[in-house]
């Protein structure tokens, strides 16, 4: 903080991290863009039904802050063996502890969120990579899953899928919102936990 070249401002719109289409994309601001920063974040723009796909972080805790719109966050609690799901609106937050499996689904026509980390750069393990890189024989031996069926199921996963669903299966997306709403209805204690009194 003593350097003459110290920079204390940055633009989180400049560096594109991932783009699914013109309305669903992620930009970033991390230590590489602003060396003085002690944290970092993704600036995420989403449309209805699009999701930040399942993943986890090996080295950071994450906080989701909603700027605009409405999203549903889900995180798997490995200690209690249960899914914790919250509906978030502007100004509300959810936390994803380090190593906990999680995802975010957009509920409004448009949403803008920040995913803020407690380290300058997060490590990310995508479920799509885990699924496509694990040999089918392992899933058969571990879980008695039919090898051919598994191979067909993961065949579309040719690379990391960050914002889903992939463009070529968008028609299947119509069922995502209703399935997610049904999940929320089955867990009213979790769904209502973020409806704050104003």
């Amino acid at each position: 903080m003593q350097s003459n070249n110290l920079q204390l401002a940055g633009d989180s719109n400049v560096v594109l991290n991932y783009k699914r289409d013109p309305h669903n994309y992620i930009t970033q601001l991390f230590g590489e863009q602003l060396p003085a920063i002690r944290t970092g974040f993704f600036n995420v723009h989403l449309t209805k039904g699009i999701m930040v796909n399942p993943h986890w972080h090996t080295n950071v805790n994450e906080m989701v802050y909603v700027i605009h719109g409405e999203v549903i966050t889900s995180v798997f609690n490995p200690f209690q063996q249960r899914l914790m799901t919250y509906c978030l609106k502007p100004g509300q937050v959810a936390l994803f502890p380090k190593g906990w499996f999680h995802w975010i689904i957009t509920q409004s026509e448009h949403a803008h969120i920040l995913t803020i980390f407690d380290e300058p750069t997060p490590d990310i393990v995508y479920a799509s990579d885990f699924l496509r890189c694990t040999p089918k024989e392992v899933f058969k031996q571990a879980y008695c899953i039919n090898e051919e069926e598994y191979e067909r199921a993961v065949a579309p996963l040719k690379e990391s899928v960050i914002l889903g669903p992939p463009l070529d299966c968008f028609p299947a997306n119509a069922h995502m919102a209703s399935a997610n709403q049904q999940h929320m209805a089955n867990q009213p204690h979790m769904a209502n936990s973020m409806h704050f009194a104003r």
Side-chain angles (χ1 to χ4, degrees):
M1 294 298 177
Q2 302 290 327
S3 169
N4 290 332
N5 297 323
L6 183 65
Q7 181 180 338
L8 296 178
D11 187 345
S12 68
N13 299 300
V14 173
V15 177
L16 182 67
N17 175 276
Y18 180 80
K19 183 176 181 180
R20 179 187 183 276
D21 59 54
H23 306 289
N24 295 280
Y25 60 94
I26 304 170
T27 60
Q28 70 180 50
L29 185 70
F30 289 109
E32 187 177 342
Q33 290 83 51
L34 186 61
I37 202 169
R38 293 289 181 256
T39 180
F41 63 90
F42 288 126
N43 193 20
V44 187
H45 296 268
L46 302 163
T47 56
K48 189 167 189 171
I50 302 300
M51 68 184 294
V52 177
N53 280 356
H55 65 281
W56 66 95
H57 305 284
T58 61
N59 67 329
V60 293
N61 296 295
E62 178 179 356
M63 181 176 72
V64 177
Y65 174 79
V66 179
I67 297 172
H68 171 78
E70 184 175 331
V71 300
I72 291 176
T73 65
S74 293
V75 60
F76 179 72
N77 182 328
F79 301 106
Q80 298 177 348
Q81 294 287 296
R82 69 183 179 110
L83 192 63
M84 303 174 71
T85 297
Y86 303 99
C87 180
L88 303 180
K89 295 180 179 180
Q92 296 178 337
V93 303
L95 301 176
F96 299 145
K98 184 191 309 182
W100 289 26
F101 194 63
H102 59 273
W103 58 87
I104 304 167
I105 301 176
T106 317
Q107 294 295 292
S108 54
E109 290 303 317
H110 298 93
H112 181 194
I113 64 174
L114 296 182
T115 60
I116 305 165
F117 304 95
D118 59 359
E119 293 289 337
T121 307
D123 290 332
I124 306 172
V125 181
Y126 295 106
S128 58
D129 296 334
F130 177 80
L131 291 171
R132 70 186 174 89
C133 293
T134 303
K136 60 185 178 181
E137 298 81 10
V138 171
F139 277 101
K140 179 184 180 183
Q141 185 171 348
Y143 308 114
C144 201
I145 291 175
N146 182 286
E147 290 182 50
E148 289 72 28
E149 290 178 7
Y150 180 79
E151 190 171 43
R152 280 194 301 274
V154 300
L157 303 177
K158 305 294 185 197
E159 59 187 12
S160 300
V161 183
I162 299 169
L163 296 182
L167 287 170
D168 59 0
C169 86
F170 193 78
N173 189 41
H175 302 289
M176 184 188 304
S178 61
N180 194 58
Q181 289 170 352
Q182 182 62 41
H183 171 73
M184 292 292 287
N186 293 336
Q187 300 186 51
H189 62 289
M190 293 183 187
N192 295 329
S193 62
M194 291 301 293
H195 290 278
F196 298 112
R198 296 211 182 259

